[in-house]
Amino acid sequence: KAIENEEFMIVYQPQILLNENELIGFEALVRWNSPEKGVLAPYKFIPIAEETNLIVPLGEWIINKVCRENKRWHDMGYSHLTAAVNISAKQFAQDNIVQVIKEALSKSGLSPNYLELELTESVIMDDFERTINLFNIFKDMGIRISIDDFGTGYSSLSYLKQFPIDSLKIDQSFISNLTKDSLNDITIANLVIDLGHKLGLQVIAEGVETQQQINFLSEYSCDKIQGYIVSKPLIKKDFEKLLSNNYK
């Protein structure tokens, strides 16, 4: 009913190039604006959507909506914004996943270079051969690919180098502990940044909340950040206000 009644909404969390402090994109996140319960966070409904397979139509709606909005922002002059969209396991497993993304790009007119698909390690390792085949198709289209929550899954490094990916996202559980002098988390964050760069990838840290975390990530040459210290996820009109004040 929520899908039929268009009760879902997208919020946009800015991503910035760390050294240049330049707004270069956003991650699109979904919220459920329930008439009965108010605005619900993803953890309250995504597991149910996954179990019932309703994540598939919801995911399709999200990618179409995000492509349309990003194209509109490009047309407004914010012409280098990249939209990052999470792709769920059920959505990635659909036989028509390539067609769904092709149609979203075609209908919106958004250049594929400005769409980034985010997938977790567990999703991409589920069927290695299929994943490589799909990733190659996406790369041929010009789409960017990011591995989300990196460091929490079980991807083999020997497999990782075979994937045509663009970036790694350090899981926020490691980032949150950087301010607590947790030697293990500091070491892991540093290793992920170093690994990503040695593989020719960009590295983005999510969940960045303090200046101390920014100082660490800057010292170790992390490429991009997102988190509450930059901005919380914003509804469309507030994100547009941020763009008008901060886009170079």
Side-chain angles (χ1 to χ4, degrees), residues 63 68 82 129 132 206 217 231:
I63 201 152
R68 285 197 308 273
T82 296
E129 295 300 330
I132 281 209
E206 58 184 339
L217 293 165
S231 171

Side-chain angles (χ1 to χ4, degrees), residues 64 67 71 99-112 141:
N64 276 280
C67 286
K71 177 60 167 74
Q99 191 59 33
V100 165
I101 292 170
K102 274 185 178 176
E103 287 183 4
L105 289 166
S106 176
K107 288 176 184 174
S108 66
L110 180 69
S111 168
M141 292 167 62

Side-chain angles (χ1 to χ4, degrees), residues 19-89:
N19 287 342
E20 289 81 0
N21 196 30
E22 180 184 349
L23 176 57
I24 42 81
F26 60 87
E27 180 179 2
L29 302 162
V30 66
R31 301 287 186 264
W32 180 2
N33 193 5
S34 166
E36 293 83 24
K37 299 183 179 182
V39 178
L40 301 177
Y43 75 90
K44 293 189 175 180
F45 62 87
I46 290 293
I48 300 167
E50 288 271 7
E51 286 173 24
T52 58
N53 281 339
L54 288 171
I55 194 69
V56 175
L58 177 58
E60 192 170 330
W61 175 82
I62 291 169
I63 201 152
N64 276 280
K65 175 85 169 172
V66 171
C67 286
R68 285 197 308 273
E69 291 296 352
N70 201 27
K71 177 60 167 74
R72 195 172 67 83
W73 287 326
H74 280 212
D75 291 344
M76 290 168 64
Y78 309 118
S79 55
H80 298 293
L81 276 183
T82 296
V85 181
N86 294 283
I87 303 295
S88 72

Side-chain angles (χ1 to χ4, degrees), residues 220-235:
Y220 288 100
S221 302
C222 186
D223 301 290
K224 296 190 283 187
I225 63 169
Q226 71 180 82
Y228 273 48
I229 195 165
V230 178
S231 171
K232 66 180 183 180
L234 300 169
I235 61 173

Side-chain angles (χ1 to χ4, degrees), residues 78 235-246:
Y78 309 118
I235 61 173
K236 183 170 73 171
K237 68 171 184 170
D238 291 338
F239 185 70
E240 289 180 352
K241 189 182 297 182
L242 187 81
L243 280 175
S244 67
N245 293 330
N246 295 277

